[in-house]
Amino acid sequence: MASHRKSRPAGTRVAGVRTPALATAALTSVALLSQSANAAPAADGAPSLEEVEKKVDALYRQAESATEKYNAAKERTTKQRKRVDTLLDDVARRTQKLNEAREELGSFAAAQYRTGASAPDTATFLLADSPQDYFDQTQLMSRLTTRQKGAVDDYVTEQSETMKKRREATQGLQSLTETQSDLHAAKATVQRKLSDARAVLSKLNAEERARLAAIEKRKQEEAAAKAAELARQQEAAEKAARRQADTSSPSSSSGSSGSSGSAQSSGSSSSGGSYATKAAKTLAFARAQIGKPYVWGATGPGSYDCSGLTQAAWKAAGVALPRTTYDQVNAGTTVSLADAQPGDLVFFYDDITHVGVYAGNGMMIHAPKPGAYVREESIYYDGESAIHSVVRPA
């Protein structure tokens, strides 16, 4: 995949189930929340809650991966359909020109037939397998007038170009058919994975749902603590950078050196201010979408998938992002997590199948997964090892 991928910390990632229904169950089951989050395997051999959680999370991950493949196939289908339509229109225009050239040649043949001049040669030309076969008869060329010769040349040119465009259109239709097949396959995979996840969750009773919600609540608290720690580190780094800047820029400096430094500082400030302005618009849009449902393949305005939200958010700032996470990850400059700024895109997992808009202080706004809603939460919501990279658009 992308060359900028960073290595993953060792350890096993335990992902969470974060649906509003489970959270509600947790709040209404205070007594159950106090139970141990680490449920032991059932005596009858049924999977433990942790195993259920991992299975459901894996299914959602697989569904989201299939969603991005669906988005990519849908985008290719749209582009290919436009190209095929353009080619077919071109073929139709060229066919019309070819017919007009053929009619003009026919009029020459009729005139020659009426006068008795070169009728056999003209008939031979019109019935020949290819114009070139007929042109090999050099005696014919000497009999053609300048106008007739031009008409023949136009016919040959149009015939060649029309055949070329017809072949391109045929190939385009074949590619379109293949992409549509990929689109349908990805859609079927998404629906199957979501159905499997719902089936797993439907087997849990109220107590198990509440205990699962307690596990998720604990993980959210841990993620929030890591976000707060990142915010403290970023704040400390900013203060150190400001102190360093103050130390390296004495007020007594003057001359060309001072002028150069001032110009560089001004340029840097201007660049940063421009990005900050766009990022503010992006975050304002993303924050206004909080509470809207995740729907796979959706790009707004009533619902979104993860990349649909980030694309729409940056569009509000005047920046056009590609449709899929696979392409968005290459649509800017990769920066370190420590240098992340509000508005940056945070990508997740080795296959780059999730993305959110960084909101600052270790938090982001994202469309999490099917069954959930756009929300703001820690970038560590699925563990630090899940973070793939941070990219700054614009």
Side-chain angles (χ1 to χ4, degrees), residues 48 50 84 113 171 173 178 189 197 206 235 252 286 315 344 358:
S48 67
E50 284 80 4
V84 167
Y113 180 78
Q171 293 171 353
L173 286 171
E178 293 173 359
T189 299
E235 182 179 10
S252 59
K315 183 179 180 180
D344 291 349
Y358 189 63

Side-chain angles (χ1 to χ4, degrees), residues 199-216:
V200 172
L201 289 174
S202 68
K203 296 178 181 178
L204 300 178
N205 57 38
E207 178 182 351
E208 290 170 330
R209 287 174 179 268
R211 289 166 60 194
L212 198 57
I215 295 174
E216 175 56 25

Side-chain angles (χ1 to χ4, degrees), residues 59-125:
L59 288 169
Y60 280 140
R61 279 279 320 282
Q62 292 164 12
E64 192 165 33
S65 176
T67 295
E68 290 304 313
K69 292 178 181 178
Y70 170 86
N71 292 338
K74 185 176 181 181
E75 189 173 41
R76 288 198 308 272
T77 297
T78 300
K79 291 179 179 179
Q80 289 173 344
R81 182 176 288 113
K82 288 181 179 179
R83 181 174 181 273
V84 167
D85 288 344
T86 299
L87 285 171
L88 290 176
D89 289 342
D90 193 16
V91 168
R93 287 192 298 269
R94 291 183 180 279
T95 299
Q96 178 62 31
K97 289 183 178 180
L98 188 63
N99 291 336
E100 291 172 357
R102 185 180 290 113
E103 289 175 1
E104 187 173 10
L105 289 176
S107 67
F108 293 153
Q112 290 174 339
Y113 180 78
R114 286 194 299 271
T115 62
S118 302
D121 289 332
T122 303
T124 301
F125 170 75

Side-chain angles (χ1 to χ4, degrees), residues 122-178:
T122 303
T124 301
F125 170 75
L126 292 176
L127 295 174
D129 291 335
S130 71
Q132 190 59 50
D133 291 341
Y134 186 64
F135 291 157
D136 290 340
Q137 304 177 35
T138 56
Q139 64 273 19
L140 171 70
M141 300 305 296
S142 63
R143 299 174 187 171
L144 295 177
T145 66
T146 301
R147 181 184 175 189
Q148 290 173 325
K149 178 63 167 59
V152 170
D153 290 343
D154 290 344
Y155 178 85
V156 173
T157 299
E158 287 301 329
Q159 185 183 55
S160 176
E161 288 299 319
T162 300
M163 293 303 296
K164 178 181 177 182
K165 292 299 180 181
R166 282 176 178 169
R167 287 193 296 271
E168 290 181 11
T170 299
Q171 293 171 353
L173 286 171
Q174 292 174 345
S175 297
L176 179 59
T177 300
E178 293 173 359

Side-chain angles (χ1 to χ4, degrees), residues 260-306:
S260 175
S262 175
Q264 290 176 358
S265 176
S266 174
S268 176
S269 175
S270 174
S271 176
S274 175
Y275 181 78
T277 299
K278 294 177 180 178
K281 292 180 180 179
T282 298
L283 277 173
F285 180 93
R287 191 161 276 114
Q289 312 313 307
I290 290 178
K292 293 183 178 181
Y294 176 107
V295 174
W296 66 273
T299 57
S303 58
Y304 299 89
D305 62 18
C306 67

Side-chain angles (χ1 to χ4, degrees), residues 206-278:
E207 178 182 351
E208 290 170 330
R209 287 174 179 268
R211 289 166 60 194
L212 198 57
I215 295 174
E216 175 56 25
K217 182 179 180 181
R218 185 193 71 237
K219 291 176 63 177
Q220 289 177 339
E221 291 172 349
E222 294 173 352
K226 288 187 68 66
E229 176 60 25
L230 176 62
R232 287 191 293 269
Q233 293 173 356
Q234 289 178 328
E235 182 179 10
E238 290 174 2
K239 289 181 179 180
R242 285 195 295 268
R243 286 195 299 269
Q244 179 65 27
D246 293 340
T247 302
S248 61
S249 302
S251 58
S252 59
S253 62
S254 60
S256 61
S257 176
S259 299
S260 175
S262 175
Q264 290 176 358
S265 176
S266 174
S268 176
S269 175
S270 174
S271 176
S274 175
Y275 181 78
T277 299
K278 294 177 180 178

